[in-house]
Amino acid sequence: MPFRYLAILALVYLYCAPQARAVPSFAEQTGQPCAACHVGAFGPQLRPYGRMFKLNGYTASDGKRHFPPIAMSTYGSFTHTQADQPGGAARWFADNDNFALDQTSLYYAGEIMRHLGAFIQTTYDGVARQYHIDNTDIRYARERDIFGIDSVWGLTLNNSPTVQDLWNSTPAWGFPYNASSLAPTPTAATRIDGSLAQQVVGLGGYVMWNDWVYTEADLYRGLGRDIRNATGIVPVAGSDGVVDTSPYWRVALQHDFGRSNWEVGTYGIVTHILPSGLSPGGRADQFTDIAADANWQFTFSPRQVASDVISAHATIIHEDQDLNASTVLSAADPHGRLTTARADVSYSIAATLTPSAQVFRNSGGEIVELAYAPFGKPDSLIHWGNVRLAAQYVMYSEFDGQTHGASRNNTLYLSVWAAWHF
Amino acid sequence: MKRVCLGLAWLAGLAGLAGFSLPAAAATQTIVQSGQAFSETDITVKVGDHVVFANKDDVNHNILVQKGDDDDDAKDMGVQAPGGSVDVLFDQAGKFKVRCHIHPSMKLTVEVQ
């Protein structure tokens, strides 16, 4: 008998709760379904409206009060690698064929006060079994005429270079949108490609002029050991440390041309790193990352939120390395270079089924993925959250400079990702 | 009905001869919200005219009317469901910005003469 009541209550909730959401509290605030902001009706790949929402400081709303904007997400997975990983894919895990509850995140995501909003993510990493402060971007934005032209200017306080970016070609929100923590991954990566995430804090200013020209400049500082300990950013002992101020820049040309949205741009950062936290003779390694990127999105039917959408993203990152400290510590070559590149394309069918493919270089290979998000459309049955089922296969033709045996790292990754609001 | 119309025309003619002018009837203009954009970016209306905003999208919209750049005194017309419309009376001369607070890229300038 109690099960019957529970079933009735569940059905009533499904039909009466607010509309299905993206980061569900953002969607609750705007009254828009997930698909309004996100390709495939599930984050983080943004559509033009999603980019505009972020540009305007996460403050666009339907005028109703939705405070506090709290949401949750969680995803679990199965990982199979072509070759076993002797000793375990990670502590607490087997050599192969592992199930994991990858991440559970709690978000403050939405308006704080007029013109001020935030995306603050805290995450429990179910593989490392640790809690940490995750992506954070707090923004203040205003609309103003500049030289008689409509413009948006704003400030961003964030903890990962490119987490504040509007496009999915840059590292923080690039494809693949989730990946296995239990598979081998190439070690060679540029500094801007994730290794500074949550290790720094930066303040920047930006302007979008006439919906055409986007410019941004930020200054980052490395977080001290105590703060990294307190926020769960580990390992701290023996890890690299960011010193001095790291300037970051972003320039992009973008516009809507009919049903197409285009972007071409550049971004980069100059950082000074203490390898393993050491500074021999007061020296630090200097990394200069300069990148170019491009985006294209085509919306078949702009009047329909659940329209088919084709998206393509590409970026190339070149890094010059002046290893002034590493060369003293390990007799490394004092100068190095690293160039990575990747490009992906996806076709979202009715904001429900989204096949995607990516090619990547330095370590070389391809990723193919099929994602399915049943909800998040205006007429969806479930109105309080969304779920994304994905099957992903990563194929390596080169792994950390080695072609022989690279395919032993090929990975099948099946995941279930759910998000909901309170 | 014909007799009433003729009577009104006669009265109007008499008023004109006497040097009076009757106020013009208020006009109504329709702006369509579609594809997260207004159908026009600039319009000109007369004081007392109405503008009807018709939501042809499948998501909610909102109409926010502000005079000049200052949005502190913006008039919020509330949430507009798909298929719904909002009638806004422009009863003061000036330049007004119309926005959708949900979709900041939707912009319309209304000049009221």
Side-chain angles (χ1 to χ4, degrees):
Chain A
M1 185 64 79
F3 288 109
R4 181 188 295 176
Y5 290 127
L6 282 174
I8 292 169
L9 280 173
L11 282 172
V12 167
Y13 187 59
L14 292 180
Y15 280 99
C16 298
Q19 276 199 322
R21 314 302 183 191
V23 170
S25 54
F26 282 154
E28 170 77 3
Q29 176 176 302
T30 58
Q32 304 292 293
C34 310
C37 283
H38 296 285
V39 173
F42 204 101
Q45 190 182 172
L46 294 177
R47 300 181 64 184
Y49 172 54
R51 285 191 282 276
M52 188 58 68
F53 177 76
K54 188 171 181 177
L55 178 76
N56 281 273
Y58 309 117
T59 58
S61 80
D62 61 6
K64 299 174 185 172
R65 185 168 172 77
H66 301 289
F67 194 84
I70 303 294
M72 273 192 84
S73 72
T74 187
Y75 67 91
S77 66
F78 169 78
T79 299
H80 169 79
T81 50
Q82 187 158 317
D84 290 349
Q85 301 177 76
R91 191 180 173 194
W92 300 296
F93 289 91
D95 296 358
N96 209 339
D97 299 328
N98 284 298
F99 289 91
L101 186 62
D102 298 53
Q103 287 193 355
T104 301
S105 295
L106 183 69
Y107 304 85
Y108 180 101
E111 187 174 32
I112 297 171
M113 56 189 289
R114 204 167 182 201
H115 307 300
L116 181 69
F119 174 94
I120 301 171
Q121 179 183 9
T122 59
T123 293
Y124 177 76
D125 182 332
V127 173
R129 302 194 179 177
Q130 284 166 340
Y131 164 88
H132 67 277
I133 295 288
D134 209 329
N135 296 314
T136 296
D137 179 25
I138 302 167
R139 305 174 86 102
Y140 177 85
R142 300 293 298 262
E143 272 189 38
R144 276 292 176 266
D145 282 0
I146 298 178
F147 305 123
I149 300 292
D150 277 347
S151 303
V152 178
W153 69 269
L155 302 172
T156 168
L157 179 68
N158 65 77
N159 68 347
S160 174
T162 75
V163 79
Q164 76 279 32
D165 200 52
L166 305 179
W167 293 274
N168 292 93
S169 48
T170 51
W173 301 113
F175 182 86
Y177 306 116
N178 64 338
S180 179
S181 302
L182 293 167
T185 50
T187 52
T190 58
R191 292 289 138 175
I192 202 169
D193 202 355
S195 64
L196 298 172
Q198 290 91 50
Q199 305 280 339
V200 294
V201 61
L203 178 65
Y206 62 87
V207 175
M208 175 72 87
W209 185 76
N210 197 24
D211 202 29
W212 266 96
V213 182
Y214 179 83
T215 55
E216 178 187 338
D218 300 58
L219 293 175
Y220 286 92
R221 295 284 294 185
L223 293 174
R225 178 168 296 205
D226 291 343
I227 295 175
R228 282 186 288 160
N229 268 325
T231 55
I233 307 303
V234 289
V236 171
S239 66
D240 292 353
V242 181
V243 290
D244 300 331
T245 300
S246 303
Y248 166 89
W249 70 90
R250 177 72 161 127
V251 178
L253 291 175
Q254 72 98 47
H255 204 63
D256 288 323
F257 296 96
R259 293 183 288 172
S260 289
N261 177 276
W262 289 87
E263 181 270 346
V264 290
T266 179
Y267 59 98
I269 195 166
V270 179
T271 52
H272 295 91
I273 306 285
L274 301 182
S276 304
L278 302 173
S279 176
R283 299 177 186 196
D285 293 341
Q286 177 177 304
F287 297 84
T288 304
D289 292 5
I290 299 175
D293 74 309
N295 285 259
W296 172 66
Q297 269 183 354
F298 183 83
T299 304
F300 284 83
S301 179
R303 279 179 61 176
Q304 294 177 314
V305 161
S307 166
D308 289 5
V309 176
I310 299 177
S311 298
H313 319 98
T315 191
I316 182 167
I317 306 170
H318 177 77
E319 182 173 87
D320 274 321
Q321 305 165 341
D322 291 317
L323 306 174
N324 305 313
S326 293
T327 195
V328 174
L329 292 171
S330 60
D333 192 330
H335 299 288
R337 287 180 177 177
L338 178 63
T339 301
T340 62
R342 53 180 172 263
D344 67 87
V345 63
S346 67
Y347 187 143
S348 174
I349 303 164
T352 300
L353 196 64
T354 308
S356 304
Q358 182 188 68
V359 293
F360 55 93
R361 290 294 175 263
N362 181 39
S363 281
E366 296 84 33
I367 302 174
V368 290
E369 183 185 85
L370 183 63
Y372 171 69
F375 310 119
K377 274 74 75 176
D379 57 354
S380 289
L381 176 64
I382 288 178
H383 298 300
W384 45 265
N386 203 354
V387 65
R388 179 183 188 266
L389 313 175
Q392 182 187 98
Y393 194 69
V394 186
M395 295 163 282
Y396 292 98
S397 54
E398 183 182 345
F399 194 93
D400 277 343
Q402 301 293 321
T403 53
H404 181 70
S407 63
R408 293 169 56 82
N409 302 294
N410 289 0
T411 303
L412 172 68
Y413 182 62
L414 308 175
S415 63
V416 180
W417 194 351
W420 64 96
H421 72 84
F422 296 99
Chain B
M1 178 61 80
K2 194 173 179 182
R3 184 177 294 171
V4 172
C5 291
L6 285 172
L8 286 172
W10 181 84
L11 275 174
L14 193 66
L17 284 174
F20 297 109
S21 59
L22 291 175
T28 299
Q29 188 161 341
T30 299
I31 297 291
V32 172
Q33 297 145 293
S34 173
Q36 298 180 10
F38 290 118
S39 55
E40 305 283 345
T41 54
D42 299 274
I43 59 170
T44 301
V45 300
K46 292 193 168 69
V47 172
D49 283 358
H50 293 249
V51 177
V52 173
F53 295 90
N55 181 2
K56 302 292 184 190
D57 276 332
D58 58 357
V59 293
N60 290 344
H61 282 301
N62 156 269
I63 294 295
L64 198 70
V65 182
Q66 68 183 66
K67 194 166 187 179
D69 277 334
D70 189 2
D71 55 1
D72 287 340
D73 297 322
K75 191 172 171 184
D76 190 338
M77 308 301 288
V79 176
Q80 195 182 357
S85 60
V86 170
D87 186 334
V88 180
L89 168 66
F90 288 91
D91 56 1
Q92 288 178 42
K95 202 168 189 175
F96 295 83
K97 288 183 174 179
V98 178
R99 298 282 188 268
C100 172
H101 199 259
I102 298 170
H103 301 98
S105 61
M106 295 177 67
K107 296 171 183 176
L108 168 71
T109 302
V110 179
E111 180 142 11
V112 184
Q113 297 177 335

